[in-house]
Amino acid sequence: LISIFLLIGFAVPIKPVYAQDFNFKKAFEDYQFSLGVYNDSFSSYEEGKDAYLKNPTLTLKEDARKKTLEMLRVRDELQKVYLTTLRIRTVENNGLSNDEKSALYLKIDPEVEYYIKHKKDYQDGDTLETLFNKSGESESRNKNTTSKIVYENLFYISLGDEVDLRATQENIYKNLTDTINIGVAEGKLDINPFNRWFLDITDVVNKLKDNENLAKTTIQKMHSQQASSPISAYNSSLVPLTNSIKLLSQFNSFLTEVLTSIKNQQQ
């Protein structure tokens, strides 16, 4: 999923209406449609620009101006749709706390509003030079603000997915330990070797949580003055989560062993 979002160099988006029937699937479909419209518009803009540069007539300049105007409006729209898609993905993420989601909304919602308003700044009568000046405003916003918010949201989406997987396995683990404790109390199960296995499983859970905390600490470096770039901080923050993949697999394998051992003792 993350790789899909990162296909666009100029991070880009839907009206900020979050109806109950508006889910990530619908948001992503809107994003794909908007991306297609933008790609077509950008191709037309490139053709108009190249034609004018080769033959700088007034007629070709006007054609290039109109195509530039359309492309810039579509680009702001795509930004809006893209950001909203990220927001909906965050809304539906079960691994993020309400506080984490709220903090992300406080950052991404103003960005959606910015591109809604900025799109309206492009006027039908703007000269080509004026359009490029206004375009510079959104490009500066994207570089200095939007890109950081985009990568931070992408990180938390990945974090939430990892936390959700861990929490799901922890629930299974709790159910298994409850079964074991009841079985031992009733004399139907032997606490060995479960009492030693519990230590290994707890160690895996603690390592997963440590990786999550390290990842959250790393992503915050994005906002420091020493940060080289948002994508650099983003990539660094993913390293601990990537390291958790093997731990999650190990966690799942341990749970399977516990379940198998319970069944064997009950035979």
Side-chain angles (χ1 to χ4, degrees):
L1 179 57
I2 288 177
S3 61
I4 296 176
F5 280 124
L6 294 180
L7 286 176
I8 313 177
F10 187 78
V12 292
I14 262 170
K15 296 181 179 178
V17 176
Y18 310 112
Q20 291 182 350
D21 60 345
F22 186 67
N23 54 24
F24 175 72
K25 181 177 182 296
K26 178 63 170 63
F28 190 67
E29 289 173 354
D30 287 345
Y31 160 70
Q32 290 179 305
F33 174 79
S34 294
L35 179 59
V37 172
Y38 172 75
N39 287 336
D40 290 342
S41 180
F42 186 79
S43 295
S44 180
Y45 154 76
E46 289 276 85
E47 292 173 0
K49 180 187 69 174
D50 290 344
Y52 171 64
L53 291 176
K54 291 177 181 178
N55 185 20
T57 65
L58 293 175
T59 299
L60 290 178
K61 182 177 182 180
E62 177 61 14
D63 181 64
R65 187 195 70 83
K66 290 180 178 179
K67 291 178 178 178
T68 301
L69 172 63
E70 176 63 20
M71 183 274 292
L72 292 176
R73 284 173 171 169
V74 170
R75 188 177 72 175
D76 276 359
E77 177 68 14
L78 182 56
Q79 278 280 39
K80 176 172 64 75
V81 175
Y82 177 73
L83 289 166
T84 303
T85 302
L86 282 182
R87 191 189 196 280
I88 296 300
R89 181 68 170 81
T90 302
V91 169
E92 297 180 1
N93 196 302
N94 295 323
L96 296 177
S97 68
N98 289 333
D99 287 344
E100 287 172 329
K101 290 182 180 182
S102 295
L104 293 172
Y105 301 155
L106 286 175
K107 295 179 181 180
I108 202 168
D109 288 350
E111 293 307 291
V112 173
E113 290 298 327
Y114 171 82
Y115 290 101
I116 290 174
K117 293 178 180 178
H118 190 267
K119 178 183 176 182
K120 297 177 182 178
D121 287 343
Y122 296 117
Q123 303 298 312
D124 290 341
D126 283 344
T127 65
L128 191 58
E129 293 74 16
T130 298
L131 290 175
F132 282 123
N133 287 334
K134 291 181 177 180
S135 171
E137 296 171 4
S138 63
E139 289 167 4
S140 177
R141 176 79 175 208
N142 176 70
K143 178 181 178 180
N144 298 320
T145 304
T146 310
S147 61
K148 292 180 180 179
I149 293 171
V150 164
Y151 282 113
E152 188 171 23
N153 269 263
L154 288 172
F155 162 76
Y156 273 97
I157 288 170
S158 296
L159 174 68
D161 288 344
E162 191 273 338
V163 170
D164 189 37
L165 285 173
R166 171 180 59 76
T168 298
Q169 295 196 140
E170 281 191 284
N171 286 333
I172 295 172
Y173 177 47
K174 182 181 183 304
N175 291 333
L176 290 175
T177 56
D178 288 345
T179 298
I180 292 170
N181 290 333
I182 293 172
V184 170
E186 295 177 346
K188 298 178 180 179
L189 293 175
D190 187 341
I191 191 60
N192 291 301
F194 300 120
N195 53 350
R196 293 183 294 278
W197 291 0
F198 291 162
L199 296 176
D200 291 328
I201 294 175
T202 298
D203 183 58
V204 170
V205 173
N206 289 335
K207 287 179 179 177
L208 285 168
K209 292 180 178 179
D210 287 343
N211 283 348
E212 292 162 13
N213 290 330
L214 176 58
K216 285 191 282 189
T217 299
T218 304
I219 195 63
Q220 292 309 312
K221 295 179 181 179
M222 178 187 296
H223 302 291
S224 69
Q225 294 181 348
Q226 291 76 25
S228 56
S229 68
I231 191 171
S232 176
Y234 169 74
N235 287 334
S236 296
S237 69
L238 289 185
V239 173
L241 297 185
T242 301
N243 292 337
S244 290
I245 295 175
K246 184 176 180 180
L247 289 170
L248 286 168
S249 178
Q250 187 177 42
F251 193 1
N252 184 69
S253 178
F254 284 172
L255 295 180
T256 301
E257 283 191 74
V258 171
L259 178 59
T260 300
S261 185
I262 290 174
K263 291 179 178 180
N264 288 339
Q265 285 197 30
Q266 288 176 335
Q267 290 179 354

